[in-house]
Amino acid sequence: MAPAAPGGGWDGTARSMQQALTASGIAKSVQVTNVTGAGGTIGLAQLINAKGDGSQLMVNGFVMVGAILLNKSPVNLTQVTPIARLTAEALVIVVPTESPIKNAKDLADRVKADPAKVTWAGGSAGGADHILAALFAEAAGGDPKKINYIPFSGGGEALAAMLGGRVTAGISGYGEFEGQIKAGKLRVIGVSAPARLANAPDAPTLKEGGVNLELMNWRSVVAPPGLSADQTKTLSDAVEKMVKSKEWAEILKARGWDDAYLGGAAFDAFLKAEQTRVSKVMTDVGLVK
């Protein structure tokens, strides 16, 4: 299940898994279903209702952690069987090239002095972009509740707002702004990865710029609750074989995704930690009371 409409990131991940699992012979047949609505929480409720069904998997990710809190969802990720984290994408903070802000320290100084005067353009409220803006304010010593974040439905609109000088800085996945960065219209202030990106070796990390902050927009796969140890092992083994297949490696390369495979108890612990972190940030920012 992709708990979102066709064409988005979760749908792309689900269909890529379908392709890799069948092409590698790990599974004979894989169907993808789309369940839209409420940041994936409608799909999550359906998965939880499929208790004990060892033939189902659902793609999800960082965005769902925030959506559960924003939508006051009656279901949450503590109710699923964690299987594996699959991919991760770093976010990038950019400013227009003519901006007086030259690096992460310049932006941090402004945020610290007056968080409300710095306007951020990014994706939906409560998503990875919004959370990065809040974490940046906190790391800079500013009040994250006072950040001025403007959500846009697509990267194109955010880009227009930035190039038109209507916002101070923008946040998105690197790929969304890559063309404008390479064309010299946008300057990278920092990437949210632990190390520089292979496809953007000139772009410094936020940590290099003196802002102690990392955030990866990850995607994962989970199963219904109430599975036996054997059912969980079967699904976990299939996904582990898939991430090690040449078919999956080709998909990652073609789509520009980073392999961030994490399975078993390590993924379970990671998922719990992310839920705690996102809940704290969203409470700090005032998105969740």
Side-chain angles (χ1 to χ4, degrees):
M1 186 207 302
W10 289 344
D11 178 67
T13 304
R15 291 181 195 281
S16 295
M17 287 184 73
Q18 177 187 40
Q19 186 186 330
L21 285 165
T22 51
S24 61
I26 294 163
K28 285 195 181 73
S29 134
V30 179
Q31 279 82 43
V32 174
T33 56
N34 293 85
V35 179
T36 60
T41 56
I42 291 170
L44 176 62
Q46 279 194 25
L47 185 83
I48 288 165
N49 283 336
K51 187 175 179 180
D53 185 347
S55 68
Q56 286 201 43
L57 287 169
M58 182 185 78
V59 170
N60 70 327
F62 185 92
V63 174
M64 186 179 278
V65 180
I68 287 166
L69 297 163
L70 265 185
N71 291 296
K72 297 185 170 60
S73 171
V75 291
N76 63 63
L77 289 169
T78 63
Q79 294 167 270
V80 301
T81 302
I83 300 297
R85 186 181 68 189
L86 298 172
T87 61
E89 181 186 26
L91 299 174
V92 61
I93 300 177
V94 294
V95 295
T97 310
E98 60 271 21
S99 167
I101 296 166
K102 303 293 183 206
N103 51 44
K105 187 184 180 302
D106 288 351
L107 185 59
D109 288 346
R110 287 192 176 209
V111 171
K112 186 177 181 181
D114 191 346
K117 271 196 177 160
V118 175
T119 46
W120 301 84
S124 57
D129 303 347
H130 195 170
I131 285 171
L132 183 64
L135 287 170
F136 187 95
E138 200 168 52
D143 182 351
K145 272 199 175 69
K146 291 181 178 165
I147 64 165
N148 189 348
Y149 182 83
I150 304 163
F152 290 90
S153 59
E157 291 177 29
L159 191 60
M162 257 188 306
L163 296 176
R166 298 196 302 279
V167 294
T168 314
I171 301 175
S172 189
Y174 180 80
E176 194 87 52
F177 292 143
E178 187 173 16
Q180 304 297 324
I181 292 165
K182 289 191 168 162
K185 293 185 176 176
L186 294 176
R187 177 189 301 121
V188 177
I189 290 304
V191 295
S192 65
R196 290 195 181 202
L197 307 182
N199 58 340
D202 296 338
T205 65
L206 290 169
K207 282 192 167 176
E208 283 178 75
V211 179
N212 188 21
L213 174 57
E214 273 178 38
L215 186 143
M216 299 297 280
N217 189 8
W218 49 268
R219 293 193 189 123
S220 64
V221 65
V222 297
L227 300 191
S228 69
D230 283 350
Q231 285 176 309
T232 304
K233 187 178 186 314
T234 299
L235 288 171
S236 299
D237 288 352
V239 171
E240 186 173 1
K241 275 185 201 159
M242 181 200 78
V243 299
K244 290 176 177 172
S245 70
K246 69 176 196 313
E247 289 82 2
W248 184 247
E250 283 161 9
I251 287 166
L252 292 183
K253 192 175 177 193
R255 287 187 170 262
W257 292 343
D258 286 338
D259 175 20
Y261 174 68
L262 192 66
F267 173 57
D268 195 7
F270 169 81
L271 196 54
K272 286 188 173 84
E274 284 291 88
Q275 288 173 81
T276 304
R277 175 160 88 139
V278 172
S279 175
K280 181 189 181 300
V281 175
M282 290 177 75
T283 306
D284 287 352
V285 181
L287 279 169
V288 174
K289 296 287 185 283

